[in-house]
Amino acid sequence: MKKHKIILLVTIIILTISIGAFYIINRLFYNMSNLPEGEYITESTSPKGTYTVKTYLCNGGATVSYAVRGELIVNSQSSKPKNIYWDYKIGRAEISWEDDDTAIINGHKIDLPKGKYDWRKKK
């Protein structure tokens, strides 16, 4: 009986460490709030003026390709911009609007304000 308790305790400890490691790795490396700033490329405002999307070119250095970051600004609020677009191996940004709540950045359709495109999390 004591052996079963030890096995259960070790299993719980390993599971807790695994979940914690997954959370930390996800938070540090795959969270869109940790993206580099980059150099301003362009911006576009939605047809009714509700949103503005700004894009930035991020240079990863000699060993990494260019990437484009897009941020959403809600024009009626004073909240800080939110990253909604992150694409790798691309050096341009073309923004168009399907309607006031749908931006298309480099062919990727994003439903605003909740939607995002992150090349690392393709479906």
Side-chain angles (χ1 to χ4, degrees), residues 30-85:
Y30 295 104
N31 190 322
M32 288 187 77
S33 64
N34 296 332
L35 298 177
E37 179 130 351
E39 296 177 32
Y40 175 81
I41 301 174
T42 189
E43 68 182 67
S44 180
T45 301
S46 63
K48 294 181 183 175
T50 307
Y51 305 107
T52 298
V53 173
K54 292 184 178 183
T55 55
Y56 300 86
L57 182 63
C58 301
N59 182 356
T63 61
V64 181
S65 187
Y66 285 99
V68 173
R69 177 180 67 87
E71 66 183 18
L72 175 69
I73 298 165
V74 181
N75 294 327
S76 63
Q77 299 176 357
S78 60
S79 59
K80 71 177 193 169
K82 177 179 103 172
N83 290 326
I84 61 164
Y85 179 81

Side-chain angles (χ1 to χ4, degrees), residues 88-107:
Y88 184 60
K89 293 188 178 180
I90 192 161
R92 62 174 170 68
E94 295 176 12
I95 307 167
S96 61
W97 295 88
E98 187 173 282
D99 56 42
D100 202 55
D101 296 317
T102 308
I104 301 170
I105 307 173
N106 292 336

